[in-house]
Amino acid sequence: MTTTTQRRSRPWNRYRTQAWLGKAFVHAILIVLGLACLIPMMLVISISLSDELALVKSGYQLYPVGFTTAAYDYILQQPGQMLQAYAVTGLVTILGTGFGLLFSSMLAWPLARQDFRLRGPLSFYVFFTLLFSGGMVPFYILVTRYLGLKDNILALILPYLVTAWYVLILRTSFAQLPTELLDAARIDGAGEWRIFFRIVMPLSKPVLATIGLFYVLRYWNDWFLALLFINDSVLYPLQYLLYVLMRNISFLASNPQTTGVPIPTQSARMALAVLAFGPALFTFLLLQKYFVRGITIGGLKG
Amino acid sequence: MQKNRLHSILAVLLVAALFLGACPAPASPAPAAESGAGEATAAPAGDLVPVTYTYASRGVPADLAEVQAAMNEILNAKIGVNLSLEPIDFGAYNDKMQLRLAAGEECDVMFTAPWTNSYANNVANGVLMPLDDLLLEHAPGLWASMPETTWEAARVNGKIYGVINQQIFPKPWGVNVRKDMLEKYNFSLDDVTRWEDMEPFLQAVLEGEGITPVYANVDGQANLWRSQYWGYDGLDDGIGFIGIKANDESLTVINFLDTVEYEESARLTQKWYDAGYFPQELPQADEADAMFRAGQFAMSYHVEKPGNDVEAEARYGWEFVSKNLTDPLILDTSGATATLSAICKSSKNPEKAMEFLDELNTNVELYNLLAHGIEGKHWVWVDEGNKVLGFPEGMTNATSGYDPNTDWEFGNQFNGYYRDAKQVGAWEKTAEMNDTAFPSEALGFVVDRTPIQTEIAQTTAVWTEVVEPIANGWVSWDEAAADAKERLDAAGAQVIIDEVQRQLNDWAATNKTK
Amino acid sequence: MQANNLKSPATKSGFFSRWIGGQRAWETNLSLLTMALPGILLLFVFAYLPMFGIIIAFKDYRFVDGILGSAWVGMENFRFLFGTDTAFRITRNTLVMNSIFIATTTIGALLVAILMNEVYQSRMSKYYQTMLFFPYFISWVIASYFVFAFLNGSTGLANQIIERFGGDPPSWYRTPEAWPLVLTVAHIWNSIGFSSIVYLAGILGISPELFEAAKIDGAGKAAQIRYITLPMLYPLIIILVLLAIGRIFHADFGLFFFVPRDTPMLYSTTDVIDTFVYRSLVQLGNISMAAAAGFYQSTVGFVLVITANWVVRRINRDYSLF
């Protein structure tokens, strides 16, 4: 929409050609960059569908050589467990992202306020956790013994809920919100909570979408918490299941005890990666619609 | 607004949940008895004593509960133990067990080894129960099943902390060569006794096939140094660069870099590397396996244990001819303690745990239940006379509900049934190897790493950096050896040698006088 | 705030109320504190409570004695880090490589974000964004296979190209000098999508009216970027750089371990604190020594970031971290 108005207001041909050339140049750079990222991804998919022996001879190709689904067949011997793991990961990701975004924003907004007296000390309080950690053993003891969260899905959600890095980015972004609007709301008698939910959050959609995306990726990709706290295979999240499958495959491949079909280790590794990112990519595309320009004061009023 | 209220309610709920979870922290830091949670399928009836057994496994088998029940049928009646099996995935076993032990969680019987859930570290950390008295009182059968010299191998500072699983103890390093290549190039292994005897064949393969003849990957060191092959006892694989000559009665601890054998090995490896017998750049293990399967290697060196051909064929897809080149075979502590079962210090019922271990190692039926599952359901006899089993009609290792495939982990492997007719007799041959191997003068000595932790950390890092390139033949011995020795010494090599020598002398004073 | 102070005289007397700034400000502060409370508590439980475990670094932690029961050993656990001549090398590699990463990623990400913003109306932008995120899903283990396929001596694409143009192909896995470049490229490739999206969100948050006003004043693209986009992004850039400085002593283990395939010949440029610690302790599994290394990394990062923050504060108070 903005482009049409721009065009109408700029009738000179020379500028238009220049602008067009500039845009083409920008596209060219981004296409090259995009391909550098796309090709390895295509290799992963193609190797996952390749015959390993054919691969040794031909090297990595962008199309599957000696097409076979053997790796997937091997991994998906128990499709039920895989589906269960998707469900666990889905639930953890949704809850974690939702509450994480909420609590992090609720913490970041006061930290962004010049008139909040504890701004400095609390910012430091948040930041400090980014640098120092007590290590795995005390963390493990705390969660299993004192919080009693072993084999509990909350153990996969709570530890990452408030992450210093995200809070500080949110704070920076919140601090740049136009003050006039907030003042206006205050004069109307709006309380802090109302201001936060009705003005701050809606105005911050791009950064919330970004941090939301980070939360999604963090929860989606995590296997570490499960390694620590989950023994019950019903509660295995996806990445942990894949991690365990890969380690088991490597172990089996190097310690075969009986005759059998050799396990396609390398293509299995790639197939596991495909199973891991496929759905995450889908979420990514879904979230993209929140990256919209021009959520301005005017836009909000309308 | 509706949405806002929902937000606040959810927020309150979650905070509440957090607090409810956080508040009832036990006042006393007594270890929570929860390690067996979720595994106990049947409540122990009457006065059965619960015993947990934690081990590494490939996933949780679907029919685990049935196997556990079948085992309990035997155990309940015989020793009044109610067993719960706790398999943990191989990939996570080390991390999970070390965390649990570090956090002081309770456990009864667990699998420990030099390479996962480290036996030496567990001993150093004091989490294992000394077993000497328990063995004598509660496991006479198990105690009698192995000669006393074997038990010595598990003894640290005078106490036995682990039950050795009987399997192959010495490391018969040798060659594993593709049969088709041997036939094509008309080469026989009969006259091969040393690595270098393979050279004419390797050269022929290199020229004739245009492939790299010798398999190597980033994990298995790509070199010809194998301490047992060269007649050495490595004392502690975790330290890596020290050892004694296996037949040295003076028990002099040496730095491998100072030996002629190490130099010879390095020079030979470099010759092979330069000639192109070894890969010029090392592939990852799975790449290397795929390359072997695709015919891009002709041989590997390997532990040539009886029945190994079957396993190699399963891994690489070729028919193999193999030959052991390690002569004499050396029985050292690390070989004898390759896999162990231990009882945790935190165990509430160590006596019953020991009785369970006794049963597992002496009761053939119980052992094979754990190793292979239930007869008729998970396996059937192929040849009962020779104790060879197979899958029931239509079942494979992929569709079986119970096929752990890790009999070496559970106990005395010689009690196991064979899985392939070609393996028949392998246990007898293995036992013979164990009995006839030359026992290292230091057999039974275990290094106590506690006083030299810093030095071990330092030398381990330096070893990989400066010695591995020499050992792998990437740099020449003449150019790099002197510098490598210097760096290793600077990292504390001599401190380690002196300390180990002191420990070894003390050990000899109490153990060798008999 | 000053006005508030004047309007509400001592409704609550004493230092505290004066510090807060009166009734209205008191209520505001209370609301804000309530709002921050869940976050504060979560951090307290999951970050601060386990932090007492830092004392493990100063103890000979024996599992059976527990954390409190183990013996104090002073700085003994730190000795392995500094005991050899490697200490200087790993510190230098970690600092230099991370500095390069911070600089290149910041500039690269800004550049990509600005470019992306220029074509944001285009349907293609969605695909660019998605594609740039792909590497994030490729683990370093998998990436190491591709790097190997590209650089290995016998069949590697890189050397084939060099040979095609008559060059003398190097043996990459024996040439440590090449690896700062290889690792930097790998790092940018992996993180550019992730980093640029933060800046893109920042740019999208800038009020379009600012750009419209600039256009009316006759500012071209370059001028708009220089006088509007970048200044508006300064707070974000500074915060991200400060956060990165705080972790400058922590290296990305996967990148430095898997991509060079743990090749000893490359250690002179690829060995960083994290890989060294891993290599030293892989046999020992000594938790105390690992804790000591972590504590050392955090402390140095802490000192650096406090210094950097102090400098930022001197220049512009609003941009500082705390």
Side-chain angles (χ1 to χ4, degrees), chain C residues 265-309:
Chain C
M265 326 288 276
L266 301 179
Y267 283 169
S268 61
T269 56
T270 63
D271 197 17
V272 287
I273 296 176
D274 297 79
T275 52
F276 175 81
V277 170
Y278 173 81
R279 216 167 56 242
S280 303
L281 301 184
V282 66
Q283 298 286 353
L284 283 173
N286 187 314
I287 289 175
S288 295
M289 286 175 167
F295 184 73
Y296 164 64
Q297 289 174 302
S298 297
T299 311
V300 181
F302 183 65
V303 172
L304 286 176
V305 82
I306 292 285
T307 316
N309 188 59

Side-chain angles (χ1 to χ4, degrees), chain B residues 164-285:
Chain B
I164 292 171
N165 295 329
Q166 283 203 66
Q167 52 180 319
I168 186 159
F169 293 151
K171 295 234 162 59
W173 296 105
V175 288
N176 218 14
V177 193
R178 267 167 60 188
K179 200 174 171 192
D180 60 326
M181 286 288 134
L182 283 176
E183 279 162 6
K184 185 168 176 189
Y185 293 97
N186 202 14
F187 189 82
S188 157
L189 292 182
D190 292 346
D191 299 329
V192 175
T193 57
R194 304 291 292 166
W195 299 127
E196 47 270 39
D197 297 336
M198 291 301 296
E199 283 172 4
F201 170 72
L202 299 178
Q203 187 62 35
V205 169
L206 184 69
E207 282 165 12
E209 303 291 311
I211 59 173
T212 305
V214 186
Y215 171 97
N217 64 38
V218 286
D219 301 330
Q221 302 149 345
N223 60 58
L224 299 171
W225 175 257
R226 292 290 181 274
S227 58
Q228 295 89 350
Y229 170 88
W230 296 98
Y232 282 91
D233 173 349
L235 295 180
D236 184 335
D237 294 342
I239 299 176
F241 67 94
I242 58 159
I244 65 159
K245 191 87 180 167
N247 56 5
D248 176 10
E249 287 179 20
S250 72
L251 294 171
T252 311
V253 180
I254 42 86
N255 182 339
F256 283 149
L257 274 183
D258 291 327
T259 65
V260 284
E261 288 89 350
Y262 203 89
E263 181 179 344
E264 197 188 330
S265 158
R267 289 187 189 279
L268 186 61
T269 307
Q270 194 189 14
K271 186 177 163 200
W272 283 26
Y273 176 79
D274 289 346
Y277 302 162
F278 272 121
Q280 299 301 296
E281 271 148 3
L282 294 178
Q284 301 279 14

